Amino acid sequence: MTDNDENTLANTMIRGSEDLPGFHRLLGYRQVSWEENRAVLELELQPKHINLGGVVHGGVLTSLLDIVLAEAGTYCPFPGRMRKAITLSLTTTFTGQCSSGVIRVTGERRAGGQRIFNSSGEARDEAGNLLAIAEGTFRIRSGSEKPEGVPI
């Protein structure tokens, strides 16, 4: 971890799965980092994440990618506040499989304006093998356009 990584973590509210709402809690991921234009999540695979074929379910990967891509465009540096977005489109391509360990999912904002932005990202297993890639288009929700976002 670099000094920059430590500063980012120190200035960001990093959440464990117990702090997440609804569906996010069901997935059970951990927020590793979140900064302007970039977000990282990790998920320790459990039996609930595995499909009938014995590997991580594509819906789990797609959900994680949707979350991290939206986060990449909605960072809010103000404590007690947040920015929100909705997914307009999401394309996921599956490139590998795994059945255990920790999955790391990264997202980066690539382009956009005040309300609409594009992000791309990937999911990798512990060995660094690519499991899926995704691209998405998101719309900032009303009230969340400014960097200070809205109260949580």
Side-chain angles (χ1 to χ4, degrees), residues 72-132:
T74 57
Y75 175 71
C76 181
F78 299 91
R81 301 184 70 83
M82 66 185 300
R83 297 177 72 205
K84 300 177 184 179
I86 60 170
T87 306
L88 299 176
S89 70
L90 180 68
T91 303
T92 306
T93 303
F94 302 101
T95 59
Q97 300 177 340
C98 73
S99 57
S100 64
V102 175
I103 293 174
R104 186 174 187 90
V105 186
T106 59
E108 291 190 34
R109 183 181 189 272
R110 301 293 185 184
Q114 266 193 331
R115 295 286 303 243
I116 306 291
F117 67 93
N118 301 92
S119 296
S120 63
E122 61 185 37
R124 293 184 178 270
D125 67 13
E126 284 183 339
N129 298 311
L130 188 63
L131 303 175

Side-chain angles (χ1 to χ4, degrees), residues 28-39:
Y29 65 85
R30 180 177 77 84
Q31 189 82 48
V32 175
S33 66
W34 192 358
E35 58 190 275
E36 191 71 30
N37 299 321
R38 190 168 196 282

Side-chain angles (χ1 to χ4, degrees), residues 57 62 72 80 115 118 124 132 145 150:
H57 192 285
T62 300
R115 295 286 303 243
N118 301 92
R124 293 184 178 270
E145 303 92 344
V150 296

Side-chain angles (χ1 to χ4, degrees), residues 6 11 24 35 49-50 53 55 62 69 77-78 99 107 118 137 147:
E6 289 174 359
N11 294 323
H24 297 263
E35 58 190 275
H49 300 122
I50 305 301
V55 297
T62 300
L69 268 59
F78 299 91
S99 57
N118 301 92
T137 303

